[in-house]
Amino acid sequence: MLLSAMLDALALATLFAHGPKNNITYAQVLPLKSKLIDSLSIGDNCSYDTQSDDYDPWADIHKVKDRLCTFAETCVGKPGPLMHLLNPDVNLVSAMPGQRKVVARYLNEQERLNLARLLVKDVDRYSYKMHCRNGSCACVMREANGSSHDEDEDNQPSCEFRLIPCPNTNCNATFSYKHRTQHDDECGFKLLPCPSGCGATVPRNEVHIHVRDRCSLRQAECPLSIVGCTAIVQAQDVACHLNNHADKHLMLVASRMMEYQSFMKDMNDRIRLLEEKNGQLERELKRTTLQSQSKNEAKAISGDVKKLTKRIGTLESTCRTEFKKVEYDRRNHGK
């Protein structure tokens, strides 16, 4: 828990301070790493100054984790507007995995493990509920180096706080031997028997998927439910159900095929009617278009006739005027 929280805190702080980069240097990370270690306040995390049976070291551990969760905003502040201007499409959630990998080079797992051990000894300095009271205990080192013996070389009982790996396949967790039962009760990779009793063993975090989709005793619909079979049988009995009710299924399929034929006939009739209506509409549209064109042509001819009439009227007026002039000149000439 603490190892992951420390890495997340430093990764988010570097993301706030420098943006998502793959070439962050140690010089850029070092000041933030130093502040992170200072924020752990190792030596001042125990809320009790004397031994007490009422003291729960987990309460102080969670306080440290809460400080780590807010470290980035406290130390650096929220991402400034400049970061958003330079990287408008940055998504902090999607950028974190890559940032964690980059920062892990400068705050490696061993460093984080050592800091976590110091924190545990700090908060558990009196109760010894989370670490060994023997300051020179070396069981942790021997266990980490691969020893799997329950007793040490002097045939003395091994320390109950020695680190052991989870025995469940695919689980990478390590924890104190004392807390093995607690982890075993919640480990998502522990194999559990199927709650329905099919005989299979599945990891705890996949039990719900197994019961829903894979268990041979789960309730399953007949594959021919689409044609009307309403039977609900156990998944392991589906093949037997199909064999035992083949005649019934054949009748259901034949009945559904007849329904489909009737449906297709109705659809063909509807398509034929629609095609006829479409033909009528196309003919009506063509007739309407011709009528519209005829009206436009008649209107154009009418306009031309009016123009010609007007022009003829103008010519007649001009001719009458000229005739009057000629008649006037003839009379004057005769006198």
Side-chain angles (χ1 to χ4, degrees), residues 140-331:
V140 170
M141 296 302 296
R142 285 200 295 274
E143 192 68 35
N145 290 332
S147 175
S148 58
H149 298 291
D150 289 336
E151 296 183 353
D152 60 20
E153 295 176 355
D154 297 329
N155 203 30
Q156 297 295 324
S158 297
C159 176
E160 63 179 352
F161 291 103
R162 69 187 186 276
L163 287 180
I164 61 172
C166 178
N168 299 318
T169 304
N170 296 324
C171 182
N172 299 320
T174 56
F175 42 85
S176 297
Y177 179 81
K178 181 179 181 179
H179 301 125
R180 66 191 185 282
T181 303
Q182 177 183 349
H183 174 79
D184 192 66
D185 290 340
E186 60 188 27
C187 179
F189 296 95
K190 180 178 176 60
L191 294 179
L192 299 176
C194 172
S196 299
C198 72
T201 56
V202 292
R204 178 181 277 115
N205 55 12
E206 295 181 7
V207 169
H208 65 290
I209 299 176
H210 170 80
V211 171
R212 185 190 64 200
D213 301 329
R214 303 171 185 167
C215 180
S216 61
L217 298 181
R218 73 184 187 277
Q219 297 296 302
E221 290 183 343
C222 172
L224 295 175
S225 60
I226 191 173
V227 296
C229 182
T230 59
I232 303 294
V233 298
Q234 290 182 341
Q236 63 182 2
D237 296 330
V238 169
C240 182
H241 167 75
L242 292 174
N243 290 331
N244 294 339
H245 298 83
D247 294 342
K248 177 183 176 182
H249 291 153
L250 181 60
M251 294 299 296
L252 289 172
V253 171
S255 176
R256 184 56 59 91
M257 290 300 296
M258 293 178 65
E259 291 178 5
Y260 286 160
Q261 286 180 350
S262 177
F263 176 77
M264 292 300 294
K265 184 177 180 300
D266 291 341
M267 291 301 297
N268 287 332
D269 292 340
R270 291 185 181 182
I271 291 173
R272 181 176 53 80
L273 292 174
L274 289 173
E275 288 177 345
E276 291 178 357
K277 289 183 178 180
N278 185 54
Q280 293 176 358
L281 290 173
E282 287 181 349
R283 289 191 294 271
E284 183 67 25
L285 178 62
K286 186 175 181 180
R287 185 169 54 253
T288 303
T289 302
L290 291 174
Q291 291 177 352
S292 176
Q293 290 176 351
S294 299
K295 288 181 179 179
N296 291 336
E297 291 175 355
K299 186 176 180 181
I301 292 172
S302 177
D304 292 340
V305 170
K306 288 181 179 179
K307 290 179 181 179
L308 289 174
T309 303
K310 184 177 181 181
R311 187 173 180 182
I312 291 172
T314 302
L315 290 173
E316 289 180 346
S317 177
T318 303
C319 289
R320 283 195 295 269
T321 301
E322 292 297 328
F323 286 152
K324 287 180 180 181
K325 288 182 179 181
V326 171
E327 182 65 22
Y328 178 78
D329 291 341
R330 186 179 65 81
R331 290 178 179 176

Side-chain angles (χ1 to χ4, degrees), residues 94-113:
S94 61
M96 275 297 289
Q99 199 75 6
R100 283 169 56 95
K101 291 181 180 179
V102 173
V103 172
R105 299 198 298 262
Y106 307 116
L107 184 64
N108 59 50
E109 184 176 3
Q110 188 59 49
E111 288 181 294
R112 286 180 277 127
L113 182 59

Side-chain angles (χ1 to χ4, degrees), residues 4-16 29-34 36 68 71-72 96 99 103-104 106-107:
S4 177
M6 281 187 271
L7 185 60
D8 286 340
L10 187 58
L12 190 60
T14 56
L15 189 62
F16 283 4
V29 177
L30 183 59
L32 298 173
K33 179 180 176 180
S34 177
L36 175 68
L68 290 172
F71 170 74
M96 275 297 289
Q99 199 75 6
V103 172
Y106 307 116
L107 184 64

Side-chain angles (χ1 to χ4, degrees), residues 68-129:
L68 290 172
C69 290
T70 59
F71 170 74
E73 293 184 4
T74 303
C75 177
V76 182
K78 295 182 179 180
L82 181 60
M83 174 182 169
H84 290 298
L85 289 175
L86 296 176
N87 302 279
D89 298 325
V90 168
N91 185 307
L92 293 179
V93 176
S94 61
M96 275 297 289
Q99 199 75 6
R100 283 169 56 95
K101 291 181 180 179
V102 173
V103 172
R105 299 198 298 262
Y106 307 116
L107 184 64
N108 59 50
E109 184 176 3
Q110 188 59 49
E111 288 181 294
R112 286 180 277 127
L113 182 59
N114 293 336
L115 289 171
R117 287 174 177 168
L118 290 175
L119 281 169
V120 168
K121 290 182 178 181
D122 180 22
V123 300
D124 193 38
R125 68 180 68 176
Y126 300 116
S127 63
Y128 295 100
K129 296 179 180 180

